[in-house]
Amino acid sequence: MRTLVIGDIHGGYKALLQVLDRAQVMPDDKLIFLGDYVDGWSESAETIEKLIELSQSNTCVFIRGNHDLWCGLWLDKGATNPIWLAHGGKETIDSYIKSGWLTKDAHRAFFNNLWDYYLDKNNRLFVHAGFTSMYGVGREEYESNYYWDRTLWEAALLADNVDKEVLRVNPPSRFEHYSEIYIGHTPTTNYNKTTPMSPYNLRNIDTGAAFKGKLTIMDIDTKEFWQSDPLPSLYPTEKGRN
């Protein structure tokens, strides 16, 4: 059995189908999704329907991203906000209206049951964005940091440029609790990278699928990964979050 981690999808249903096919995902594979399933491309509702389907055939862990928080509030309570609408929310609403799944109970349940983070038996942490507590993810004071924090990512980038002997003696406090940390949230395309980045003991799997990048799925044991085509080529008449 493999354990596969999947980066931010942002309504790119076609890309999701591609990476599942290219990785030859089988029912005995465990799938860990890092969040931001919606907002961007035009098939957010279809993406959620596929994830629900996968949860019936595979062991799945679904982490909550900041965009999922917004979408869940809208599906559950009808709540919207201008920031969400301007950053993919409108496309998600259109997708739900077009699909006819706006009132589907399984979709509301999906968003209500997302994980803030996941820690596996090998002490590998999976979280959408990050956390700030020096004592570890379980002692985070502000829940919103799981979905929004970028200081963990920035600290990993900085640590990667520090003398390794210094870090061996005094490791960064947030990182020493875990053998590895997997995140999404900050596209690697911001750093002109179209593949996963791995500073220090952190791996960023968000390879810019919301924008001009690709969707990535990675085997966390072998570190082999597979990618979709660039999302604009799959949705040539759309802008995504560009």
Side-chain angles (χ1 to χ4, degrees):
M1 182 187 80
R2 297 179 298 175
T3 299
L4 304 170
V5 61
I6 301 93
D8 305 29
I9 304 169
H10 283 288
Y13 173 66
K14 294 181 178 68
L16 174 61
L17 296 182
Q18 277 193 340
V19 295
L20 294 173
D21 179 64
R22 290 173 180 179
Q24 298 183 11
V25 172
M26 302 298 290
D28 62 346
D29 291 325
K30 182 174 183 176
L31 305 175
I32 302 175
F33 293 86
L34 291 173
D36 277 3
Y37 312 107
V38 298
D39 300 351
W41 306 99
S42 63
E43 295 185 294
S44 285
E46 291 82 355
T47 296
I48 300 304
E49 185 72 7
K50 180 61 178 180
L51 296 180
I52 293 170
E53 177 186 315
L54 282 170
S55 72
Q56 296 167 355
S57 62
N58 292 71
T59 298
C60 293
V61 175
F62 299 112
I63 306 294
R64 179 181 286 107
N66 54 302
H67 287 268
D68 311 315
L69 181 67
W70 282 330
C71 185
L73 287 171
W74 171 66
L75 282 176
D76 204 31
K77 305 179 186 303
T80 65
N81 67 74
I83 296 176
W84 178 51
L85 295 175
H87 290 274
K90 182 181 182 300
E91 288 76 13
T92 295
I93 291 172
D94 290 345
S95 172
Y96 266 99
I97 292 172
K98 180 181 177 181
S99 70
W101 291 326
L102 180 58
T103 60
K104 194 165 184 178
D105 289 340
H107 282 237
R108 285 196 297 275
F110 175 86
F111 285 98
N112 287 333
N113 291 310
L114 297 176
W115 298 55
D116 284 339
Y117 61 88
Y118 174 68
L119 193 60
D120 76 3
K121 63 182 181 181
N122 293 315
N123 201 35
R124 293 177 289 207
L125 173 66
F126 303 82
V127 62
H128 176 66
F131 64 97
T132 61
S133 174
M134 64 182 293
Y135 301 107
V137 70
R139 295 178 63 178
E140 183 58 53
E141 186 173 357
Y142 300 104
E143 185 180 273
S144 61
N145 284 331
Y146 299 135
Y147 327 129
W148 287 102
D149 175 69
R150 283 195 168 94
T151 66
L152 186 75
W153 166 245
E154 292 164 352
L157 290 173
L158 291 171
D160 209 42
N161 289 292
V162 174
D163 182 89
K164 296 300 184 288
E165 181 61 22
V166 172
L167 291 176
R168 188 186 67 79
V169 177
N170 293 297
S173 59
R174 282 185 289 176
F175 296 93
E176 65 178 333
H177 301 292
Y178 310 106
S179 59
E180 288 184 304
I181 302 174
Y182 290 82
I183 66 166
H185 190 53
T186 302
T188 63
T189 48
N190 290 358
Y191 302 84
N192 297 316
K193 301 289 187 181
T194 59
T195 55
M197 293 175 66
S198 54
Y200 201 52
N201 71 334
L202 183 148
R203 293 183 184 272
N204 185 346
I205 312 298
D206 180 0
T207 49
F211 301 97
K212 296 181 180 179
K214 305 173 182 181
L215 179 63
T216 296
I217 183 171
M218 174 183 282
D219 184 322
I220 67 172
D221 293 310
T222 67
K223 304 303 186 281
E224 182 179 7
F225 64 87
W226 302 262
Q227 294 187 294
S228 71
D229 296 343
L231 272 290
S233 71
L234 299 176
Y235 296 92
T237 64
E238 301 178 25
K239 292 184 178 180
R241 296 190 59 215
N242 295 294

